[in-house]
Amino acid sequence: MDVADDASTATSAPGRRPDGTAGQDRPFGARFVTPMFMGAALNPINSSVIATALVSIAAAMGVPVGRTSILISSLYLTSAIAQPTCGRLAEEFGPRRVFLAGIAIVLAAGVLGGVGQNLTTLVVARVLIGLGTSAGYPSAMLLIRRRAAAVGLNSAPGGVLGGLAIAGAATVAIGPTIGGLLIGWFNWRAAFLVNVPFACVAFAMALRWIAKDPDRLGGHSAREVVTRIDLPGVAGFGAAMTAMLVFLLSLPGPDWTALGISAAAAAALAWWELRASNPFIDVRLLTSNLALVRTYLRYGLTLLGIYVVLYGLTEWIEAAHGQSAYEAGLLLIPMGLLSAVTARVVSRRQAIRGSLIASAVLMVAGSVAILFLTSHSPVVVIIVITALFGFASGAGNVTNQTALYRESPAEKVGTASGLLRTFGYIGSIASATITGLVFRTRVDDAGLHSVALIMIGIGIVVLLMTALDRQLARADRTALETPATGAG
């Protein structure tokens, strides 16, 4: 039974409403969303759970701790490129197929990393994990968009998008704590092997509960496949992103060659995409849809601010405040929980501009509060400040995701969603660069206060972008005036 048939059954059965709020097999019930939430959570969990395993991995492999940082950067780089690529594949070949393929890759990579005997094998495993987990979020967004259209909804239920935001972002904050527990109970291999049971469960649920893609895979020539997914566009995007991330990772000793290559590749990509019949990155769409571009920039800057807290404040808590890595991870749990709760509450609001403004204000307020932190500040004060960023993260993530859902064309939501994640990864890598520059010689109160000043500037930029965005206000009025369900 395909998606349309499944949705039709759900809306026509007695006692069920088209918004999916009643009935055992409602369109957006637990069976539909649970595997997608699990798939979307695999990428952020893997991006942070490895942090507590680096020292143990270095000792086991006989390499300096600094060399193990490639396990983090390799996943970030792969994910930044793979997220929109997987979204494009989902649009062309079906989101369920791509979702299942991604989970299968994660399963294989978890086993490979769990039995790896050298750093090279672990890097390969992390690259595969980045590739496989990148299929979860864009495929889920496309599945949700198609299900909403099939049952006659103008937009997906807010709780569904909120749950996806929680799975995709709020889990980052608890990753180090989970990693610390796993490494403490078992060993560093658990950071890889943890993917095995999760992937098995997610694959089984998706195979059973997500309806098959309605379009069938026919016999296509190699030229047709290349044209459909625009392989030259994917390659150009990958080259531009790789060189840009190499430049960011090279700071404070800038690799100007990498920056030049990135600029040249981006120019070549734009030239090609303007002429491609089925472009991977629709340059014309971006130039004509500035609201979507602003959403990408706003999301990237918001993630930049949030990750500066995760990286910079965590380093300061350990080095200047005297807490252990495990204790630092515990201090971030309230931030993750509040982010999840806030995302859940905000997702039920049709108007999003106010929540975006509140997120920016909270980011500025939290950054100002960091200016008053010292190595002698009570732990409870640190928790209160991180809580402010938890509220900001929850509100910012889910509302930017909703804005993207509104602003991107239905047939391009997979690629558009993946590109949103790419901007998030750029923000996270830039945040690591910022903290590395500020704390390059010593982690102390003065460095933390410098980080706070940078974050205040970022927060003000996000606030102005949001408050002055008239398109957000118009979109909110339309959302409030338009009924949630369509004619079906």
Side-chain angles (χ1 to χ4, degrees):
M1 183 169 60
D2 62 21
V3 173
D5 291 338
D6 187 28
S8 175
T9 301
T11 55
S12 62
R16 295 179 188 138
R17 297 194 294 269
D19 64 354
T21 56
Q24 183 178 1
D25 298 317
R26 58 188 187 271
F28 293 100
R31 289 189 176 187
F32 178 71
V33 301
T34 301
M36 291 190 297
F37 289 173
M38 289 188 66
L42 283 173
N43 189 276
I45 282 292
N46 274 283
S47 70
S48 58
V49 75
I50 195 72
T52 53
L54 296 181
V55 174
S56 299
I57 290 174
M61 300 298 161
V63 299
V65 175
R67 284 189 60 190
T68 61
S69 63
I70 193 175
L71 297 175
I72 295 177
S73 58
S74 59
L75 184 136
Y76 279 165
L77 177 58
T78 302
S79 299
I81 298 170
Q83 290 273 353
T85 304
C86 288
R88 181 54 177 272
L89 292 172
E91 291 164 1
E92 295 295 337
F93 302 113
R96 181 177 182 268
R97 296 186 186 101
V98 173
F99 185 89
L100 289 172
I103 296 297
I105 293 173
V106 174
L107 174 60
V111 173
L112 178 64
V115 301
Q117 299 298 318
N118 54 66
L119 188 61
T120 301
T121 303
L122 299 187
V123 171
V124 172
R126 289 285 288 178
V127 168
L128 290 174
I129 288 173
L131 176 61
T133 57
S134 292
Y137 180 73
S139 296
M141 285 289 281
L142 188 55
L143 282 164
I144 292 169
R145 187 66 173 258
R146 289 185 176 181
R147 177 61 66 94
V151 299
L153 294 177
N154 293 322
S155 62
V160 178
L161 294 179
L164 197 62
I166 293 169
T171 49
V172 172
I174 63 173
T177 304
I178 294 174
L181 292 173
L182 289 174
I183 305 309
W185 291 339
F186 304 102
N187 57 40
W188 63 266
R189 296 186 184 277
F192 290 90
L193 292 174
V194 69
N195 288 289
V196 175
F198 278 100
C200 287
V201 172
F203 189 92
M205 289 193 301
L207 194 65
R208 174 69 176 170
W209 293 342
I210 298 179
K212 292 182 178 180
D213 296 315
D215 52 324
R216 298 185 180 275
L217 283 176
H220 298 286
S221 67
R223 175 176 291 184
E224 287 175 322
V225 172
V226 170
T227 301
R228 288 180 68 181
I229 63 177
D230 186 20
L231 282 181
V234 173
F237 177 77
M241 285 302 308
T242 301
M244 173 56 70
L245 297 181
V246 168
F247 170 75
L248 289 175
L249 293 171
S250 71
L251 298 174
D255 186 341
W256 297 115
T257 301
L259 182 61
I261 292 173
S262 177
L269 174 65
W271 178 86
W272 171 264
E273 299 294 62
L274 286 171
R275 290 157 178 79
S277 58
N278 194 20
F280 171 61
I281 302 295
D282 195 334
V283 177
R284 287 190 176 87
L285 170 65
L286 293 178
T287 55
S288 63
N289 191 346
L290 296 181
L292 182 59
V293 175
R294 288 193 294 270
T295 295
Y296 287 142
L297 294 176
R298 187 171 56 242
Y299 181 75
L301 289 172
T302 300
L303 264 290
L304 171 58
I306 299 301
Y307 272 92
V308 165
V309 174
L310 285 175
Y311 292 143
L313 192 58
T314 301
E315 284 186 47
W316 176 83
I317 289 172
E318 294 181 37
H321 205 269
Q323 308 294 321
S324 68
Y326 179 68
E327 290 169 334
L330 291 178
L331 289 179
L332 292 177
I333 289 180
M335 177 180 173
L337 293 176
L338 288 173
S339 177
V341 172
T342 304
R344 186 68 177 175
V345 172
V346 171
S347 67
R348 300 186 180 279
R349 294 173 54 88
Q350 287 185 286
I352 63 174
R353 182 171 176 267
S355 297
L356 286 170
I357 291 175
S359 173
V361 170
L362 286 167
M363 187 185 302
V364 174
S367 302
V368 171
I370 290 177
L371 286 174
F372 298 95
L373 279 180
T374 71
S375 56
H376 303 293
S377 298
V379 169
V380 66
V381 174
I382 298 174
I383 294 175
V384 170
I385 292 175
T386 58
L388 293 176
F389 287 96
F391 289 124
S393 174
N397 278 307
V398 70
T399 46
N400 277 303
Q401 179 180 266
T402 302
L404 175 119
Y405 188 92
R406 288 180 181 177
E407 294 155 359
S408 59
E411 69 278 6
K412 295 288 186 181
V413 73
T415 305
S417 300
L419 196 56
L420 183 74
R421 281 292 185 89
T422 296
F423 274 81
Y425 275 107
I426 294 174
S428 66
I429 293 173
S431 69
T433 300
I434 290 173
T435 55
L437 288 171
V438 174
F439 292 146
R440 63 183 180 275
T441 58
R442 184 181 178 185
V443 180
D444 55 14
D445 293 348
L448 180 67
H449 297 158
S450 296
V451 168
L453 291 174
I454 294 171
M455 291 168 59
I456 290 172
I458 294 170
I460 291 174
V461 170
V462 175
L463 178 59
L464 291 175
M465 283 182 62
T466 307
L468 300 177
D469 193 338
R470 296 180 179 179
Q471 176 61 29
L472 279 174
R474 287 194 294 267
D476 276 353
R477 287 195 295 270
T478 301
L480 291 172
E481 295 169 358
T482 304
T485 60

